[in-house]
Amino acid sequence: MSGGGARAAYQVGLLRALAQWYPGLQIPYITGVSAGAINAAHLASHHGSFAQSVQELCHLWGRLRVEDVFRVGPYSLGKTLLRWLFRLASGGRGPLPQVRGLVDTEPLRRFLAEALHSVDGELTGIRYNLEFDRLRAVALSTSSYTTGQSVTWVQGEDIQEWERPQRRSRNTTLTVEHVMASAALPLFFPAVQLDGGWYGDGGIRLAAPLSPALHLGASRVLAISTRYGRSRAEADRPAIQGYPPPAQIAGVMMNAVFLDLMDQDALRLERLNTLLEKLPAEERGGLRPVRLLVVRPSRDLGRMAGSYEPQLPRIFRFLTRGLGTRETESPDFLSMILFQPDYINALIDLGEDDARDREDEIRTFMEADV
């Protein structure tokens, strides 16, 4: 499951449709990055059936508000902004005020600790599901600000660590802090300390989002993207008039960093599958074809976000409008931080509707022999 902040609610809608078709489904390998790590951690740690897990996930997302993710009061936001201004104005001289993100995400930490039923921070449900063979492994990806590497944290049975240029895995016992680190939007959310290093959003350096599932041993992958697949005409249509405001630039940057890589990786995998299927098994060099199905929104989630922006808390709405979220037809930046029940529930409904529109294709994928 990919990232995208509040957009990850779309994944919950698709899972809701799957749970209605396959209430007892057991998924051996679950991987997530950024906000998708929240959904992955919940599925991997829940003690009940797949249907029960998804039902609770829908309830958690459906009642989520901005205040549950980060502090939006005038005092908290004002203090943070002043720290940033003082640091910029210092020119690097004298004692510098410490800044750890534009917002305080302690509310999200408390929310996840309760929602994921952690014990002293550990997601003990993962160990339970591993012991009873309901799960083989779960992987959450992060980006190390300390070393610049992409690090995927894995909890599972007999999982060998892997290493590729600028990305590697580490076997561990997953905690709330791993989820917080994977979902920490750069600069906006503060980095999280893990094993002596500082980590942020896993989508920053993860050039191959499908790779964790493949390294774990998956023979087929259902990938849930939060990136709308625009037509050529839509892609060529300007979203702004005049010079781009900061919100437009931030949205383009976040799409490029967090969402576009899924499409590129899927294309590489499909091409590799085509080549492997033409080779005898003994000449494949240990590689194997992997069935892949990518499900994505049928509507532009950024454009949808603009309709729900007026419901944001006043001070936060004031600041986002100052960045230019109302000057673009597709405020993608806003769609990632719009943790509002009306917007989130609209995304959940859209995810379920999209799954039903592709029901035959999804069922064929799920029920095919591997």
Side-chain angles (χ1 to χ4, degrees), residues 177-189:
E177 295 305 292
H178 291 93
V179 183
M180 288 289 296
S182 185
L185 290 170
L187 295 180
F188 197 72
F189 288 4

Side-chain angles (χ1 to χ4, degrees), residues 13-339:
L14 189 138
L15 292 172
R16 185 164 67 183
L18 276 182
Q20 292 169 2
W21 301 333
Y22 307 101
L25 179 66
Q26 290 190 4
I27 307 174
Y29 305 113
I30 301 175
T31 70
V33 58
S34 192
I38 297 174
N39 295 333
H42 186 276
L43 293 179
S45 62
H46 196 277
H47 287 194
S49 67
F50 179 66
Q52 291 170 332
S53 175
V54 173
Q55 182 181 20
E56 183 174 326
L57 195 58
C58 289
H59 174 71
L60 292 171
W61 274 95
R63 65 180 177 86
L64 194 64
R65 302 185 63 86
V66 173
E67 295 87 345
D68 297 318
V69 181
F70 48 83
R71 293 193 171 102
V72 294
Y75 175 76
S76 178
L77 291 175
K79 182 175 69 173
T80 301
L81 289 174
L82 285 175
R83 284 177 175 270
W84 277 95
L85 289 173
F86 284 144
R87 186 176 183 90
L88 290 172
S90 71
R93 294 190 295 260
L96 300 178
Q98 190 177 65
V99 291
R100 295 189 176 184
L102 290 172
V103 294
D104 181 354
T105 54
E106 187 58 32
L108 178 60
R109 179 175 280 104
R110 293 197 299 266
F111 180 86
L112 291 178
E114 178 182 354
L116 299 176
H117 309 290
S118 67
V119 178
D120 295 329
E122 180 188 347
L123 308 184
T124 56
I126 294 177
R127 187 195 313 164
Y128 172 88
N129 288 330
L130 289 170
E131 290 175 352
F132 285 90
D133 294 324
R134 303 174 59 187
L135 177 72
R136 294 182 189 174
V138 57
L140 307 181
S141 296
T142 62
S143 298
S144 172
Y145 293 141
T146 306
T147 67
Q149 293 179 307
S150 172
V151 180
T152 298
W153 305 86
V154 181
Q155 185 171 351
E157 297 294 335
D158 300 322
I159 301 297
Q160 292 188 346
E161 294 186 350
W162 65 84
E163 187 168 351
R164 297 291 185 271
Q166 294 301 314
R167 54 188 174 93
R168 56 168 299 190
S169 71
R170 294 180 64 177
N171 293 339
T172 191
T173 298
L174 291 172
T175 67
V176 170
E177 295 305 292
H178 291 93
V179 183
M180 288 289 296
S182 185
L185 290 170
L187 295 180
F188 197 72
F189 288 4
V192 177
Q193 190 170 27
L194 298 171
D195 288 358
W198 291 95
Y199 293 83
D201 198 298
I204 299 174
R205 293 301 300 268
L206 189 60
L210 301 176
S211 64
L214 304 184
H215 283 297
L216 294 179
S219 55
R220 54 181 163 177
V221 178
L222 174 62
I224 312 176
S225 173
T226 59
R227 181 76 151 108
Y228 171 64
R230 296 185 296 174
S231 66
R232 181 177 296 275
E234 289 174 317
D236 290 340
R237 187 172 64 199
I240 59 169
Q241 299 295 328
Y243 192 84
Q248 177 70 8
I249 297 173
V252 171
M253 180 184 69
M254 288 185 171
N255 280 337
V257 171
F258 302 123
L259 305 180
D260 293 353
L261 293 176
M262 171 76 78
D263 296 331
Q264 299 171 20
D265 203 23
L267 179 60
R268 284 194 297 266
L269 180 58
E270 290 169 354
R271 288 179 172 176
L272 183 59
N273 282 339
T274 300
L275 292 174
L276 291 175
E277 289 168 356
K278 295 179 180 179
L279 293 175
E282 63 273 12
E283 296 181 12
R284 294 175 178 173
L287 300 176
R288 67 190 192 284
V290 176
R291 293 176 59 89
L292 172 67
L293 178 63
V294 179
V295 182
R296 64 180 68 256
S298 60
R299 295 178 59 190
D300 187 330
L301 305 189
R303 290 180 181 273
M304 286 180 61
S307 302
Y308 297 92
E309 181 260 2
Q311 306 305 318
L312 281 170
R314 179 176 298 178
I315 182 65
F316 192 64
R317 184 173 68 243
F318 175 81
L319 293 174
T320 57
R321 287 181 178 180
L323 292 174
T325 54
R326 303 192 79 183
E327 298 174 46
T328 172
E329 294 182 4
S330 183
D332 290 330
F333 168 72
L334 182 64
S335 72
M336 297 184 182
I337 58 173
L338 194 62
F339 296 96

